[in-house]
């Protein structure tokens, strides 16, 4: 329940700030009853929120570097959003086993940014291994829009485009050749989705009157933000003690 609240809350804040998001080919998103791996190039800090909102009511888990959990308040937030820690320098078996188990035994899917870091295009083998072990399909998507907070606040256009689900059940072995084929399929779909967005015509910024509903909702938004912050301050230490 708290996952749903946080997803909607952060999406609401992005709408207040930007309010110029456009979603394409959402009919291709797999049914909520089917688990899958949602993959996208990691281009901004906020593209995971747009991905999670577009695919609602589906809930997700995602990998996050362990250093992000050191802050008790931020760590509490991302954990409640479905994050689990990984050691990028020395990844252990749990990096593969945990998401595979969740995909097999729960109704949550997995969000992965196979490049492993923002602005990189190298597809890592983790997506292929997890998809193969969990016997799930791969759902590609791309974000295009402001890359900086300033651009987001200036209400530059955001486009989220969803592609064709990728089935890798025909790949018998995940050797170097098999991994290369999975990477080729994912990258090919990323490139196609990026090119497709480039053909979509639309205003880069919405009309000025679009600010009016945001001004009306500004005070309620500030109140909700404050209450959420206060709840986190109280809940995070309690949650940490319970985990111990």
């Amino acid at each position: 329940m708290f996952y749903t609240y946080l997803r909607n809350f952060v999406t609401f804040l992005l709408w207040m700030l930007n309010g110029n998001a456009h979603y394409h080919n959402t009919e291709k998103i797999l049914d909520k009853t089917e688990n899958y791996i949602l993959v996208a190039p990691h281009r901004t800090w906020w593209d995971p929120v747009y991905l999670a909102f577009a695919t609602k009511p589906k809930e997700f888990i995602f990998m996050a570097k362990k250093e992000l959990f050191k802050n008790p308040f931020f760590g509490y937030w991302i954990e409640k959003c479905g994050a689990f820690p990984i050691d990028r320098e020395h990844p252990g078996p749990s990096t593969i086993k945990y998401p595979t188990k969740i995909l097999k035994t729960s109704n949550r899917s997995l969000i992965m940014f196979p490049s492993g870091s923002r602005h990189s295009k190298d597809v890592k083998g983790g997506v292929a291994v997890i998809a193969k072990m969990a016997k799930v399909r791969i759902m590609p998507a791309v974000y295009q829009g402001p890359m900086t907070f300033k651009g987001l606040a200036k209400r530059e256009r955001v486009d989220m485009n969803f592609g064709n689900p990728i089935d890798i059940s025909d790949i018998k072995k995940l050797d170097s050749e098999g991994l290369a084929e999975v990477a080729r399929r994912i990258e090919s779909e990323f490139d196609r989705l990026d090119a497709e967005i480039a053909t979509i015509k639309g205003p880069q910024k919405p009309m000025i009157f679009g600010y009016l509903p945001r001004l009306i909702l500004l005070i309620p938004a500030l109140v909700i933000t404050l209450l959420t912050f206060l709840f986190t301050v109280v809940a995070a230490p309690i949650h940490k003690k319970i985990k111990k």
Side-chain angles (χ1 to χ4, degrees):
M1 187 174 77
F2 195 53
Y3 172 98
T4 302
Y5 169 76
L6 286 177
R7 178 188 62 201
N8 294 338
F9 170 65
V10 178
T11 303
F12 172 68
L13 293 182
L14 284 175
W15 177 80
M16 289 285 295
L17 184 66
N18 179 268
N20 192 16
H22 305 265
Y23 301 90
H24 313 288
N25 297 309
T26 54
E27 72 280 358
K28 293 183 178 181
I29 298 172
L30 293 169
D31 188 85
K32 65 180 181 180
T33 60
E34 178 179 347
N35 279 350
Y36 53 88
I37 302 177
L38 179 60
V39 297
H42 199 4
R43 294 171 174 167
T44 72
W45 292 108
W46 43 83
D47 52 14
V49 181
Y50 284 114
L51 285 170
F53 179 75
T55 52
K56 66 180 189 343
K58 194 67 177 177
E59 294 188 4
F60 293 87
I61 60 170
F62 62 94
M63 300 177 181
K65 59 183 181 180
K66 65 178 184 178
E67 290 80 7
L68 294 177
F69 291 83
K70 290 182 178 180
N71 183 296
F73 303 118
F74 185 70
Y76 176 77
W77 264 52
I78 62 174
E79 183 178 338
K80 289 301 181 182
C81 286
F84 61 96
I86 61 168
D87 187 338
R88 287 187 175 181
E89 299 298 324
H90 307 285
S94 61
T95 304
I96 299 296
K97 289 182 178 179
Y98 177 74
T100 300
K101 179 182 178 181
I102 294 298
L103 286 167
K104 283 184 172 181
T105 62
S106 77
N107 61 353
R108 280 196 172 191
S109 287
L110 171 67
I111 290 180
M112 287 189 73
F113 299 99
S115 57
S117 61
R118 290 184 300 136
H119 316 302
S120 171
K121 289 187 66 178
D122 296 329
V123 174
K124 301 295 188 284
V127 174
V129 174
I130 296 171
K132 194 72 172 176
M133 290 180 64
K135 298 180 180 179
V136 297
R137 289 191 281 177
I138 300 168
M139 183 73 228
V142 299
Y143 164 97
Q144 282 190 24
M147 307 296 280
T148 64
F149 185 81
K150 181 180 179 181
L152 194 70
K154 289 173 67 176
R155 305 185 72 202
E156 294 176 1
R157 183 184 173 101
V158 170
D159 285 282
M160 297 296 305
N161 198 12
F162 292 85
N164 299 308
I166 299 171
D167 188 346
I168 65 168
S169 60
D170 61 307
I171 300 176
K172 303 305 179 185
K173 292 184 179 180
L174 290 181
D175 51 14
S176 58
E177 185 177 338
L179 292 174
E181 174 58 20
V182 176
R184 186 198 65 78
R185 294 182 188 183
I186 294 174
E187 284 294 348
S188 176
E189 197 64 5
F190 284 168
D191 291 340
R192 187 187 69 80
L193 292 173
D194 277 329
E196 190 173 73
I197 290 178
T199 66
I200 298 172
K201 303 295 183 181
Q204 289 302 305
K205 294 183 180 180
M207 298 295 288
I208 190 66
F209 60 75
Y211 284 101
L212 182 59
R214 287 160 183 78
L215 290 174
I216 295 173
L217 292 172
L218 181 59
I219 293 178
L222 291 173
V223 172
I224 294 172
T225 302
L226 178 60
L227 291 174
T228 303
F229 174 76
L230 292 175
F231 174 82
T232 304
V233 169
V234 174
I238 298 173
H239 177 69
K240 188 176 181 179
K241 287 183 178 179
I242 293 174
K243 286 187 65 177
K244 287 182 178 180

